[in-house]
Amino acid sequence: MSWLRTRLFHAYARLRRPMTMGVRGLVENEDGHILLVRHTYISGWHMPGGGVERNEPCVEALRREIEEEAGILMNGAPVLAGVYSNHASFPNDHVMLYHVPPGIWTQGKATALAEIAEIRWCPPDDVPDGTTNGTRLRMAEFYQGQARSPYWSGKAP
């Protein structure tokens, strides 16, 4: 049933916006662990994030999404880590990845409780089973110096 909801959302988004933009946050805590979330409507573990709304700056979309999904309250500026094509997931989709290091955020309360099934802090080299390929690739690029792909999933559509 979640695939149907996802397909309907994609169709609706495609009609409203011929190009879509999303944000993801590579949120780190003081222990060097990264934040992953598991949604109720799509499989796998992801970095927190989501779609950029009309007339919304990308950094504000990140601020909104990480607060909704995990209660992360940014009190400083994140660093843009990369821009990726995500055409394999949705035609003409792009993802902006921001690094949110410790010291520029505090823990608050998540506001999108029905959207998130679980959150987890984990070392970048020990992510849970089911972590998406795009998430694994970004961590390999960021922490292991792997060559950066322009595609979120690592390959052209």
Side-chain angles (χ1 to χ4, degrees), residues 113-144:
L113 301 177
E115 182 181 346
I116 301 301
E118 188 177 358
I119 66 168
R120 184 178 294 181
W121 291 95
C122 57
D125 61 350
D126 188 21
V127 296
D129 290 340
T131 298
T132 65
N133 191 48
T135 300
R136 288 178 184 276
L137 289 170
R138 301 300 75 79
M139 286 192 281
E141 292 167 0
F142 198 83
Y143 293 104
Q144 299 166 7

Side-chain angles (χ1 to χ4, degrees), residues 24 26 59 62 74 76-82 97-101 104 142:
R24 293 278 176 192
L26 196 153
V59 72
L62 176 71
M74 285 196 318
V79 176
L80 180 62
L97 176 64
Y98 288 90
H99 180 219
V100 185
I104 71 160
F142 198 83

